[in-house]
Structures are given as structure tokens and as C-alpha cells.
């Protein structure tokens, strides 16, 4: 990923998307196939899933996945949820997500943005946004929409990098030195969100997969550095923050 236009790590609003609040996401927009490989290699032990479920179980409830991309996480929610809605601004990715869930009658995918959700008031029990839109400062319109669509008693989860820790976090800091992890933490804490620090893994089946994924997440200079410094790696430790809040 380029420090000025990153996907997962650095997401910078640019015109014309800025008007609608769409965050440029080159990793998944330009490389949905490699991003699928990446998603399969993220948190294979399911720490994020079990942590979310312990806090707010979605069994029999209505789930919203904001910035669902190609819908990778929709089937997992659909296993027990009453309904699942994925919202995604990129129409091509939304089409892939629809194909993925075509045999799951409780799941739908809508084109839309976090700051203007295509959902009625008080219609969601569990909201989830994984490396999508909610990166701290700048996500206020999306938070206002959460206030509108969440039912009382519902819970929202935001998964994002913890740039202060782990091998992946060190790569992130080096590639984006202007990123202010403390400012992001203050943003969530001031708004009453709680944080669980999780140490997940980023593991791939082969060196070729690892290299491909590093190549969509970092600009060429940093990708080359990472691969040279980790000549045999097929994965690394990856610290993330699970931010969450009850409504
Ligand atoms: C890094 S991808 C993550 C996709 C998915 N959550 C996953 O984990 O596979 C970020 C996604 O956020 C979407 N996105 C960008 N701006 C958005 C916005 N304003 N509202 C909702 N989603 C947005 C992008 O189109 C992209 O699909």
C-alpha cells in the first residue's frame, strides 16, 4: 500500500469520493483476489470472532456489516443471525459480495456509505466494521448514523490496527510515520468506546501468498524492505484493536 493511498493501513479521502465520505481502498478495490487470500490469513484462530461474540452475541439478531467489501464476513454472521446486511460503496465489490451470499436467504448487500446508511432508524442489533471507514478522526458522520440505526441494547464493533505493538504494527509505523495512534485512541475513548487489545496472526499458506499480500498492503519500497528483512516468513504477529460500544 502506498503511504498516501493505502488500503487497510492508510485510508485517505480523495476527490470525488471525499464528498460522499468514501475512503480510497486500493488493496481491495484493485486486488480483490489477493485481498481474499489476505482475509483467509487474518486471525485463523478466530480471536476476533470469539471476543465479539462474548461481548454481544448476534444469534437471532439483526446484523450490519459496514464496508463489507466482497462480503467475506457475511456468511459467518449468517450462521446464527436473524438477518445480515452488508453495506459497501464500491458497486463491483458489492456485486462480488452478493454472489458470495446468493444462497443465504437472510443476507442482503446494499450499496451505500457509513455516513448515510441505507437503513431505517433503530433497525440494527449488532454493527461490525472491519478495517473499513471507522479509523478514528473523520468518522463522525458514520458514528452519527450508528446512533440512528442502532437499537437500544445493541452493540457496535470496529476492528482496526494497533500501530503501537507487534511486528505488523512496526511495519505500519515505519510506512506511515505521521499516523498518530494516540490521537485515534483518544477519539474512541472520548466517545465512550471500549477497547480490547488482541494479538492475532497474519498467516499465509505459502511464501508466494505472503509476498502478494505484503505487496497490496505496502508501497513497493516498504514491501521490499519487509520481504528482505523476513526472507523465510509466511506470516507474522499482528496487534489489533477491537473497539466496541453499547447503545
Ligand atoms: C480494507 S477494505 C475491508 C473490507 C471488509 N470489511 C473486509 O474486512 O474484508 C475497506 C472497505 O471499506 C469500504 N469503504 C470505503 N469508504 C467507505 C464508507 N464511507 N462507508 C462504508 N464503507 C466504505 C471500501 O470500499 C472497502 O470495501
Amino acid at each position: 500500500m502506498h503511504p498516501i493511498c493505502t488500503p487497510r493501513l492508510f485510508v485517505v479521502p480523495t476527490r470525488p469520493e471525499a464528498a460522499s465520505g468514501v475512503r480510497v481502498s486500493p488493496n481491495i478495490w484493485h486486488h480483490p483476489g489477493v485481498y481474499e487470500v489476505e482475509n483467509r490469513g487474518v486471525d485463523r484462530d478466530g480471536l476476533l470472532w470469539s471476543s465479539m461474540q462474548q461481548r454481544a452475541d448476534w444469534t437471532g439478531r439483526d446484523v450490519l456489516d459496514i464496508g463489507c467489501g466482497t462480503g467475506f464476513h457475511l456468511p459467518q454472521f449468517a450462521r446464527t443471525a436473524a438477518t445480515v446486511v452488508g453495506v459497501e460503496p464500491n458497486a463491483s465489490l458489492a456485486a462480488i459480495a452478493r454472489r458470495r451470499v446468493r444462497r443465504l436467504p437472510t443476507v442482503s448487500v446494499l450499496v451505500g456509505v457509513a455516513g448515510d446508511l441505507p437503513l431505517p432508524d433503530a433497525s440494527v442489533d449488532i454493527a461490525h466494521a472491519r478495517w473499513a471507514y471507522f479509523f478514528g478522526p473523520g468518522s463522525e458522520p458514520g458514528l452519527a448514523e450508528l446512533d440512528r440505526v442502532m437499537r437500544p441494547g445493541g452493540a457496535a464493533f470496529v476492528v482496526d490496527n494497533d500501530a503501537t505493538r507487534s511486528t505488523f504494527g512496526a511495519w505500519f509505523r515505519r510506512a506511515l510515520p505521521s499516523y498518530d495512534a494516540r490521537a485515534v485512541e483518544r477519539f474512541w475513548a472520548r466517545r465512550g468506546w471500549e477497547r480490547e487489545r488482541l494479538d492475532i496472526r497474519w498467516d499465509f499458506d505459502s511464501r508466494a501468498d505472503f509476498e502478494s499480500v505484503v505487496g497490496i498492503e505496502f508501497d513497493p519500497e516498504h514491501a521490499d524492505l519487509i520481504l528482505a528483512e523476513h526472507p523465510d516468513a509466511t506470516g507474522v504477529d499482528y496487534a489489533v484493536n477491537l473497539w466496541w460500544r453499547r447503545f
Side-chain angles (χ1 to χ4, degrees):
M1 111 202 61
H2 285 261
I4 50 164
C5 63
T6 60
R8 170 162 291 173
L9 309 189
F10 324 93
V11 182
V12 179
T14 60
R15 290 170 205 293
E17 295 90 344
S20 60
V22 174
R23 310 296 171 98
V24 174
S25 312
N27 53 3
I28 192 168
W29 286 5
H30 302 152
H31 310 277
V34 179
Y35 202 84
E36 183 81 6
V37 171
E38 178 166 9
N39 259 332
R40 282 194 225 117
V42 170
D43 189 25
R44 289 182 166 179
D45 296 331
L47 295 182
L48 280 161
W49 286 112
S50 55
S51 183
M52 289 191 294
Q53 202 152 23
Q54 275 165 25
R55 282 171 170 66
D57 190 357
W58 46 88
T59 302
R61 308 187 80 188
D62 297 318
V63 173
L64 165 65
D65 188 13
I66 303 173
C68 71
T70 59
F72 186 86
H73 302 103
L74 302 178
Q76 177 73 19
F77 283 119
R79 289 173 68 175
T80 57
T83 66
V84 182
V85 177
V87 169
E88 167 57 44
N90 182 299
S92 306
L93 298 186
I96 297 173
R98 281 195 190 109
R99 276 203 296 285
R100 189 195 295 274
V101 300
R102 64 191 179 282
R103 294 196 181 85
L104 299 177
T106 57
V107 185
S108 52
V109 177
L110 305 174
V111 173
V113 290
D116 187 12
L117 290 169
L119 293 171
D121 297 356
S123 58
V124 175
D125 298 307
I126 305 289
H128 169 260
R130 198 178 284 223
W131 285 296
Y133 175 79
F134 292 97
F135 300 106
S139 55
E140 293 85 349
L143 293 180
E145 279 292 80
L146 282 180
D147 283 339
R148 181 180 70 77
V149 302
M150 295 303 297
R151 290 192 180 116
F157 296 103
V158 164
V159 177
D160 195 8
N161 293 339
D162 179 352
T164 67
R165 305 184 300 118
S166 79
T167 302
F168 193 96
W171 297 346
F172 185 104
R173 288 197 304 277
R174 181 171 66 186
L176 193 63
S178 62
Y179 181 82
D180 187 347
R182 300 298 173 209
V184 173
E185 288 167 12
R186 282 195 300 276
F187 175 91
W188 291 112
R190 271 195 206 119
R191 287 162 180 79
W193 288 64
E194 293 181 48
R195 182 249 302 266
E196 182 172 5
R197 294 186 142 104
L198 287 172
D199 296 291
I200 65 168
R201 297 270 319 164
W202 203 61
D203 279 320
F204 303 99
D205 290 339
S206 67
R207 177 70 181 181
D209 284 353
F210 178 76
E211 291 182 1
S212 303
V213 172
V214 167
I216 67 164
E217 290 296 353
F218 294 90
D219 64 87
E221 181 197 343
H222 287 97
D224 287 350
L225 264 176
I226 288 166
L227 297 177
E229 288 166 357
H230 302 267
D232 301 317
T234 55
V236 290
D237 54 302
Y238 189 154
V240 297
N241 287 321
L242 174 65
W243 295 101
W244 71 287
R245 198 207 131 179
R246 277 201 186 281
F247 287 76

